[in-house]
Amino acid sequence: MAGLVLLVAILVVGVLAPVISPQNPYDLAQLDVMDSKLAPGEKSPDGRTYWLGTDDQGRDMLSGIFYGLRISLGVGIASTVFALAIGLVFGLVAAYFGGWVDTLVMRIVDIQLSFPAILIALVLLAVLGQGVDKIVVALVTVQWAYYARTVRSSALVERQKEYIEAARVLALGQARVVFRHLLPNCLPPLIVVATVQVAHAIALEATLSFLGLGLPITEPSLGLLISNGFQYMLSGKYWISFYPGLALLLTIMAINLVADQLRDILNPRLRK
Amino acid sequence: MLRILRLAIAALTLLGLAGPASAAKEREVSIGLQAAITSMDPHYHNLSPNNSMMLHVFEPLIKRDANQKLVPGLAASWKAVDDLTWEFKLRKNVRFHDGSPLTADDVVFTLKRVPNVPNSPSSFATFTKPIVDVKVVDPHTLIFKTATPHVLLPSDLASVMIVSKLHGEKAATEDYNSGKAAIGTGPYKLAEYVPNQRVVLKANYGYWGGEEPWDKITFKILTNPAARVAALLSGDVQMIETVPTADIARLGKDPKYNVVDKVSNRVIYVHLNQSTDKAPPFVTDKSGKPLEKNPFRDARVRKALSVGVNRDVIVDRVMEKKAVAAAQLLPDFFYGTSKKLKPAKYDLEGAKKLLAEAGYPNGFALTIHGPNNRYINDDKVAQAVAQFYSRIGIDAKVETMPSSVYFTRASKLEFGYMILGWGTESGEQGSSLRSLLATFNRERGMGVTNRGRYSNPAFDKVLETALVTMDDKKREALIQQAAEMAMNDTALIPLHYEVSTWATTKGFDYTARTDQYTLAMGLKPRK
Amino acid sequence: MLAYAIRRFGQSFFVLVLMSFLVFVGVYAIGNPVELLVNPQADDAERIRATAALGLDKAFLEQYWVFLKGAASGDLGRSFVYNVPALSLILDKLPATIELAFVAMVIAIALGIPLGLVAGLKPDSILGRGIMAGSILGFSLPTFWVGLVLIMVFSVQLGWLPSNGRGETVTVAGVPLSFLTADGLLHLAMPAVNLALFKLSLLIRLTRAGTREAVLQDYVKFARAKGLTQGRVIGVHVLKNILIPIVTVIGLELGSVIAFAIVTESIFAWPGTGKLLIDSINQLDRPVIVAYLLVIVTLFIFINFVVDVLYSMLDPRVRLGGAASH
């Protein structure tokens, strides 16, 4: 329950960011580099107060976090949903049909898993340029194979069980067997992986930003805020990466608390 | 989890296994470097970190002091006999690490080897190519002939390490890496080279220039800036180069550390793409429609973009004072720089007026492109510049990317507004003007890195005259004149000179250098 | 079984060829290595010479053909940057990375499965909830951030652990290992924990979910009713039935931890392949990137093969290469 409240609150903040933020942190014209690196509550030369301090460009951290939440959640959820959908289809198909279909899909998975995210991100950056959509593409490309393998492993077991045999004997359509019978029973471990992977996707985006391959530097996500603040940690300007880190922690906690509930509700076996 | 670890560590501490990294032994130091040394072959890769490392083991005929002034190296003296002839006298007391004496034959061998290193990704042949003939007068005297007057010969030869003919004759790059052929004349011998990890040097006690204070030096490659600082703070190394600007203030205040800095030969500047009649890529009107004319071909627009940037604020806030506002391509104590050139003064109204005069009263839109892992705080500088442009009515977006992507695209002129950097290894401004601003002609070696494609025949003429003028005074005056012409025309926008920084633990003194090299020869124990 | 193994490795050959081609195309798309390697003051002649020296003057497909011919005789090319055979550069650094990955995985498994079991068996107890809440910490903060915090606490503040590098090694069967020396273990501690944290959280959560399900299943209820000890019920009946997804994920994570310990390795200056890869990518050192990824894909194929074999051992219902097609 607490998780749901927290998640709703975070989503509301994310959606309403442009309305409730003291500043538009993505508009460079509204930033003043003279106000850079102010500590929380410290007065700026022209008398303004930034409650969570400012970053190296004079960006208000509070506004940055509100806007960053939007981007991080968007990137994390979008990439997970797409990757999950693609992985699910390929994994189920591979397990259900077996034979050369399985071989083909799994060898593609092998290739995909060994392809480093930074290389994919770098190729996309060079060919397509920078942007949120490109980051989502990169994350989906990196992650779908992971789901495909996880789904397949569960489906391989389920495939052998009596109810699937029964469904086959009843000559139900193949699509029906796969999606109505096989899928629901493969979901539980997948949901665990997926909820962790939303967090992982957000963290991966942060890592790509840390390596200079992420989002445009002027439109920071939580991850980019953290990695920008990273270099100020040893010098004691903790707030530049601490507060975004806290926001990220709360967000991921909320997602996982809700997902844990959701899994119990969706799980056909726990309902019995 | 962490508790278990802490307990385990506490237990180890009690057993005396852990404890802070033991203080370095008397005559041993570790130094944290920011970039990998790609080889110990002194002629394999013309790259600053390599060139810096090589100077410990090998030596050139002519060296550069901390301000990049030429001083005698293995050559005791040199002079131009006429426009095409140079005479070099070698020192007589120099021995290689194995005890064999240095002679003119080693120099001849070196000049032959330089252009013929297999697989070299960036050779030193550029420096030896002007020499068309070498005569050995006696074992310690050489005569070099050039085809055309080549005033920069001494400066070029300061980049070429002399290797031993005896050990180098059949040696490949691997033999230098393994140490087998890495027999130089320098103050240190190579003990171990592990690619991308460390280089270990031992003292050469028979060094002709006198003994150095260290028996053993370990250079650790610590590319991540935070890791480098952490290594210093935890006592794993005694010195680091390129201290992140964020940490300088803290280290400077701490009595346990010592920070030294010096303005460097690297200028951070902007090339404005003037290659096309129509607007270059990423330069549009405010609604995103293409502009009819290339605004960067108008000197007034270029000037507006220059005076519209407040360099003092960038230096103060973004670079944490570790930069100097730039007026030309080198700080004005270098050869060929003009004292008349001053950094453009921030002038908000003036910039707006210039834009209006040039026909852009409402400004236009551009994207600032820059690298994000090449220069000090490069991505932050780009954003700060964009902030200033928003105030003169220009919509500026910022796109930064890793240098692997950036430089390829910049060289293909895929950008309009490019933030770049240039370090002048020769220490004289003529070569920088030639590479960055002479009309682009790679065949002739002119304007080879002129990514703005600025072209001004009057400027070219003065510069080319300078390049073949043998008289030092006259040549300097011509280079100064060329620099003034280009800078007054805002051929490019100089932003600032980087300041190089080093931090040591207390008890050391380091002589800071303009060429950003980290040399153990400059590190002395404090008395 | 043998036939299955042979078939599987036959397929791997095509995977390797395809992989190398993809990397070639990828690096070609990113940029021109000569731009990064050649001195910016170089004139045309020097650029042409450097391009030829690196073999980049040939047409794209010809470059790939040259690579394939070399690869057929075991030569994966020489590093553009270091001018040493790419494969030997990688193999020199691989032991450090594999050691780090294994230590991290051991930490994750040794702590993750027991903690997950506890949390799954007692989901509503304080301990169970505490474990779950703690596990969230493990994957919600970026690795680089946690790494630096570890360094700040244990190296800078407390001075207990060295901040970077690998410790003293002893050579066992030609392989330098550092976890056998005290100095080596001290150097390993932080990077291994940093790397293990995410896997640990994932394993805790997976084990818990599986356990919760398993305890509700008829056979577990039956085993309990039969009066089997709690230990036997958990050890045999519960664990066995949750192992398949766990083994899959361990396999996946072991691969990814070996392949891409990039961030951890660069923060702790661990002299492994992850650091080599990121530097090679930044310098567009294509031969090293290609050789590295070929080594990694081989490793993945091997791990996935082992995992698939484990499936059939854990659950006889899973038929290998199962042709249940219609």
Side-chain angles (χ1 to χ4, degrees):
Chain A
M1 224 14 237
L4 192 64
V5 173
L6 189 59
L7 186 63
V8 170
I10 288 169
L11 287 174
V12 167
V13 167
V15 172
L16 293 183
V19 186
I20 57 175
S21 297
Q23 178 195 66
N24 178 357
Y26 295 172
D27 182 1
L28 287 171
Q30 291 189 28
L31 308 184
D32 188 345
V33 73
M34 287 308 289
D35 290 356
S36 63
K37 290 167 277 191
L38 291 174
E42 193 182 328
K43 278 240 181 325
S44 74
D46 55 0
R48 271 178 291 178
T49 308
Y50 301 95
W51 292 112
L52 294 185
T54 58
D55 73 357
D56 55 77
Q57 292 296 319
R59 187 175 284 119
D60 174 38
M61 288 313 294
L62 186 66
S63 313
I65 289 170
F66 287 168
Y67 273 76
L69 259 179
R70 250 159 107 89
I71 304 235
S72 284
L73 275 175
V75 167
I77 294 172
S79 65
T80 305
V81 167
F82 284 121
L84 184 64
I86 297 171
L88 207 60
V89 171
F90 278 96
L92 284 176
V93 165
Y96 183 76
F97 291 102
W100 67 268
V101 178
D102 185 30
T103 303
L104 183 68
V105 173
M106 283 304 115
R107 294 302 79 77
I108 295 174
V109 165
D110 282 342
I111 291 185
Q112 188 62 71
L113 285 174
S114 18
F115 229 83
I118 43 166
L119 195 57
I120 294 172
L122 202 56
V123 172
L124 288 175
L125 175 68
V127 177
L128 301 176
Q130 221 164 25
V132 176
D133 45 343
K134 280 89 176 182
I135 285 294
V136 172
V137 172
L139 293 178
V140 170
T141 319
V142 172
Q143 293 192 314
W144 74 267
Y146 201 102
Y147 294 109
R149 239 191 118 71
T150 317
V151 173
R152 173 177 170 272
S153 75
S154 305
L156 276 180
V157 175
E158 293 295 330
R159 188 183 68 175
Q160 310 300 336
K161 291 195 175 157
E162 293 81 0
Y163 69 98
I164 299 287
E165 289 297 327
R168 272 188 192 152
V169 171
L170 287 174
L172 297 178
Q174 290 195 347
R176 199 181 146 91
V177 175
V178 169
F179 288 103
R180 292 294 297 277
H181 298 276
L182 203 47
L183 174 61
N185 285 291
C186 297
L187 276 181
L190 197 65
I191 292 175
V192 182
V193 175
T195 51
V196 173
Q197 289 290 331
V198 172
H200 191 46
I202 293 176
L204 190 58
E205 183 270 308
T207 304
L208 289 177
S209 299
F210 174 67
L211 296 169
L213 296 165
L215 294 164
I217 188 91
T218 50
E219 295 173 19
S221 61
L222 285 182
L224 189 51
L225 286 173
I226 296 173
S227 68
N228 274 342
F230 174 78
Q231 53 194 303
Y232 295 99
M233 276 170 66
L234 289 169
S235 63
K237 297 190 175 74
Y238 67 93
W239 62 90
I240 308 181
S241 71
F242 177 76
Y243 292 117
L246 195 65
L248 183 61
L249 190 67
L250 287 176
T251 308
I252 287 171
M253 195 161 352
I255 293 175
N256 279 279
L257 288 174
V258 172
D260 284 351
Q261 293 295 315
L262 195 67
R263 185 184 57 236
D264 291 350
I265 296 168
L266 285 179
N267 190 335
R269 274 167 263 173
L270 284 181
R271 259 181 307 176
K272 267 188 252 173
Chain B
M1 174 67 227
L2 283 175
R3 251 190 57 198
I4 295 169
L5 184 78
R6 206 173 300 162
L7 284 175
I9 295 165
L12 283 173
T13 317
L14 286 176
L15 289 171
L17 290 170
S22 57
K25 293 193 196 97
E26 198 58 5
R27 285 168 60 87
E28 292 184 9
V29 278
S30 293
I31 299 174
L33 299 180
Q34 63 162 341
I37 311 299
T38 67
S39 172
M40 285 308 291
D41 179 342
H43 305 142
Y44 168 69
H45 198 172
N46 181 10
L47 183 78
S48 290
N50 282 27
N51 298 348
S52 162
M53 181 59 67
M54 292 314 148
L55 281 168
H56 296 88
V57 180
F58 302 94
E59 291 172 298
L61 291 174
I62 298 168
K63 288 189 176 179
R64 296 195 179 98
D65 70 5
N67 286 330
Q68 287 178 269
K69 285 238 158 49
L70 299 180
V71 293
L74 294 178
S77 67
W78 64 93
K79 62 170 193 263
V81 180
D82 59 51
D83 275 10
L84 302 176
T85 314
W86 294 79
E87 187 193 70
F88 279 72
K89 291 257 186 213
L90 299 184
R91 285 179 197 275
K92 294 206 168 119
N93 55 344
V94 179
R95 290 183 179 275
F96 284 99
H97 295 158
D98 65 343
S100 59
L102 168 85
T103 68
D105 286 346
D106 297 308
V107 178
V108 175
F109 170 74
T110 297
L111 292 178
K112 242 184 245 153
R113 182 173 191 269
V114 165
N116 295 312
V117 179
N119 304 332
S120 162
S122 177
S123 85
F124 292 79
T126 329
F127 303 122
T128 57
K129 205 163 52 178
I131 301 174
V132 290
D133 188 38
V134 188
K135 262 203 221 69
V136 178
V137 179
D138 65 54
H140 295 100
T141 311
L142 292 124
I143 301 282
F144 296 145
K145 283 275 184 194
T146 61
T148 50
H150 187 63
V151 288
L152 288 180
L153 189 76
S155 162
D156 281 354
L157 288 178
S159 299
V160 178
M161 306 294 158
I162 304 300
V163 297
S164 150
K165 183 181 181 195
L166 180 68
H167 297 279
E169 207 131 47
K170 290 197 184 96
T173 297
E174 275 105 328
D175 299 313
Y176 285 91
N177 290 346
S178 72
K180 205 177 110 198
I183 310 291
T185 56
Y188 291 97
K189 299 178 188 178
L190 177 64
E192 188 192 21
Y193 164 73
V194 186
N196 210 358
Q197 190 176 338
R198 64 171 176 269
V199 179
V200 183
L201 304 178
K202 293 249 165 78
N204 167 20
Y205 295 110
Y207 182 55
W208 62 267
E211 202 170 296
E212 288 288 320
W214 311 113
D215 289 335
K216 182 179 166 193
I217 302 169
T218 307
F219 290 95
K220 294 186 181 177
I221 312 301
L222 300 169
T223 35
N224 186 287
R228 211 155 56 238
V229 176
L232 180 77
L233 293 178
S234 62
D236 291 338
V237 299
Q238 284 75 50
M239 174 162 93
I240 57 170
E241 63 177 2
T242 318
V243 188
T245 52
D247 297 305
I248 290 173
R250 183 205 145 153
L251 287 173
K253 267 185 255 158
D254 194 328
K256 283 188 293 192
Y257 304 99
N258 192 13
V259 179
V260 290
D261 61 46
K262 184 155 202 165
V263 66
S264 76
N265 64 8
R266 186 183 301 283
V267 63
I268 302 300
Y269 68 94
V270 176
H271 258 329
L272 300 166
N273 186 342
Q274 297 156 51
S275 66
T276 49
D277 292 330
K278 287 223 168 104
F282 297 100
V283 178
T284 61
D285 73 1
K286 284 194 168 175
S287 61
K289 282 204 279 292
L291 290 172
E292 265 313 298
K293 280 195 308 197
N294 185 341
F296 299 154
R297 285 204 173 170
D298 188 325
R300 288 170 298 191
V301 174
R302 299 199 296 268
K303 179 138 195 229
L305 293 176
S306 182
V307 299
V309 176
N310 191 336
R311 290 167 176 76
D312 296 334
V313 168
I314 291 182
V315 166
D316 189 52
R317 309 300 303 203
V318 180
M319 304 301 287
E320 316 241 2
K321 304 191 174 67
K322 296 301 172 195
V324 174
Q328 46 199 320
L329 304 179
L330 275 174
D332 64 9
F333 56 85
F334 279 99
Y335 182 88
T337 54
S338 164
K339 298 245 190 257
K340 281 187 217 150
L341 293 170
K342 299 285 173 221
K345 250 201 148 52
Y346 179 52
D347 182 0
L348 181 67
E349 292 311 315
K352 282 187 195 160
K353 219 173 108 209
L354 281 165
L355 283 178
E357 278 171 24
Y360 305 96
N362 300 317
F364 53 92
L366 58 81
T367 302
I368 297 175
H369 282 95
N372 58 16
N373 59 357
R374 181 66 188 85
Y375 312 116
I376 301 171
N377 295 347
D378 39 17
D379 52 353
K380 298 192 177 66
V381 172
Q383 289 181 79
V385 169
Q387 282 192 24
F388 289 120
Y389 286 165
S390 71
R391 287 168 208 167
I392 59 171
I394 286 179
D395 285 351
K397 283 206 283 263
V398 176
E399 223 177 284
T400 59
M401 54 195 80
S403 31
S404 52
V405 175
Y406 179 68
F407 287 107
T408 303
R409 292 185 65 190
S411 289
K412 284 196 245 162
L413 307 186
E414 286 182 21
F415 305 134
Y417 187 106
M418 300 166 254
I419 295 187
L420 294 153
W422 186 263
T424 307
E425 295 218 354
S426 67
E428 60 87 49
Q429 186 157 251
S431 63
S432 312
L433 291 170
R434 171 182 175 160
S435 293
L436 296 183
L437 288 174
T439 301
F440 179 77
N441 184 342
R442 269 199 187 147
E443 262 167 51
R444 293 183 53 232
M446 302 300 285
V448 289
T449 316
N450 182 353
R451 294 192 175 103
R453 296 292 190 269
Y454 174 78
S455 175
N456 177 349
F459 163 83
D460 287 344
K461 210 171 145 216
V462 177
L463 182 66
E464 295 205 20
T465 316
L467 293 175
V468 292
T469 302
M470 293 295 278
D471 183 274
D472 271 350
K473 281 259 155 7
K474 276 192 206 146
R475 183 170 78 250
E476 181 161 27
L478 284 166
I479 296 174
Q480 285 166 340
Q481 190 194 341
E484 283 158 20
M485 288 171 82
M487 294 305 139
N488 291 332
D489 196 26
T490 327
L492 52 69
I493 304 175
L495 292 175
H496 57 263
Y497 310 115
E498 286 185 352
V499 167
S500 323
T501 49
W502 291 265
T504 63
T505 49
K506 262 293 178 263
F508 295 92
D509 280 315
Y510 184 69
T511 313
R513 298 176 61 86
T514 55
D515 52 15
Q516 306 194 317
Y517 286 2
T518 296
L519 299 182
M521 287 75 87
L523 184 69
K524 306 280 182 219
R526 188 172 283 176
K527 292 195 179 88
Chain C
M1 177 65 208
L2 184 67
Y4 174 70
I6 292 172
R7 191 145 36 86
R8 192 71 183 261
F9 285 101
Q11 294 157 7
S12 309
F13 174 74
F14 292 100
V15 169
L16 290 176
V17 173
L18 187 59
M19 182 79 185
S20 60
F21 186 72
L22 287 176
V23 181
F24 255 74
V25 174
V27 177
Y28 187 78
I30 295 171
N32 179 4
V34 177
E35 280 293 334
L36 297 168
L37 292 168
V38 86
N39 192 290
Q41 293 176 12
D43 56 11
D44 238 11
E46 170 60 13
R47 271 164 210 274
I48 290 167
R49 188 208 56 76
T51 307
L54 302 179
L56 295 170
D57 51 338
K58 303 189 181 75
F60 175 74
L61 284 175
E62 195 182 341
Q63 290 177 37
Y64 184 62
W65 177 239
V66 170
F67 164 78
L68 280 185
K69 275 198 299 195
S73 59
D75 171 16
L76 296 181
R78 296 175 84 86
S79 160
F80 289 165
V81 176
Y82 294 101
N83 193 22
V84 292
L87 198 57
S88 74
L89 197 61
I90 292 160
L91 294 181
D92 281 348
K93 301 204 179 273
L94 204 55
T97 293
I98 291 186
E99 178 175 87
L100 180 63
F102 268 96
V103 173
M105 262 346 256
V106 167
I107 294 175
I109 294 169
L111 290 174
I113 294 182
L115 288 177
L117 274 174
V118 171
L121 292 170
K122 298 197 162 84
D124 297 318
S125 68
I126 295 179
L127 186 61
R129 285 174 183 275
I131 291 172
M132 289 308 283
S135 76
I136 291 178
L137 278 174
F139 57 80
S140 48
L141 291 170
T143 318
F144 59 85
W145 201 82
V146 176
L148 194 63
V149 171
L150 286 175
I151 292 181
M152 280 171 69
V153 173
F154 291 103
S155 300
V156 178
Q157 296 297 331
L158 299 173
W160 289 351
L161 295 172
S163 70
N164 67 77
R166 192 177 185 213
E168 216 180 294
T169 57
V170 283
T171 306
V172 178
V175 183
L177 297 173
S178 77
F179 73 94
L180 298 173
T181 66
D183 180 53
L185 279 178
L186 287 175
H187 280 86
L188 254 172
M190 281 198 294
V193 167
N194 189 214
L195 208 51
L197 228 45
F198 176 78
K199 331 285 164 198
L200 175 62
S201 307
L202 187 61
L203 280 179
I204 290 177
R205 302 181 79 78
L206 267 178
T207 312
R208 173 185 178 267
T211 310
R212 283 205 62 192
E213 244 183 75
V215 291
L216 293 175
Q217 306 247 332
D218 296 338
Y219 61 86
V220 173
K221 287 182 183 155
F222 181 67
R224 279 196 171 144
K226 252 179 22 182
L228 294 182
T229 60
Q230 176 82 343
R232 192 168 162 76
V233 172
I234 295 169
V236 176
H237 296 277
V238 174
L239 208 52
K240 201 174 165 195
N241 280 281
I242 60 173
L243 272 181
I244 286 214
I246 291 180
V247 165
T248 310
V249 168
I250 289 178
L252 285 170
E253 291 298 329
L254 179 64
S256 79
V257 95
I258 293 175
F260 314 125
I262 296 171
V263 171
T264 301
E265 286 193 3
S266 56
I267 298 261
F268 292 96
W270 187 261
T273 48
K275 193 160 165 290
L276 179 68
L277 178 68
I278 177 78
D279 290 343
S280 301
I281 289 178
N282 279 335
Q283 303 220 35
L284 297 179
D285 193 348
R286 190 183 67 199
V288 178
I289 305 175
V290 174
Y292 180 74
L293 293 179
L294 289 183
V295 170
I296 290 304
V297 85
T298 311
L299 201 73
F300 267 96
I301 290 170
F302 179 72
I303 291 174
N304 284 346
F305 172 72
V306 171
V307 167
D308 281 348
V309 171
L310 279 178
Y311 286 168
S312 66
M313 282 159 62
L314 289 169
D315 190 337
R317 285 171 300 185
V318 176
R319 273 171 285 155
L320 282 180
S325 42
H326 322 264

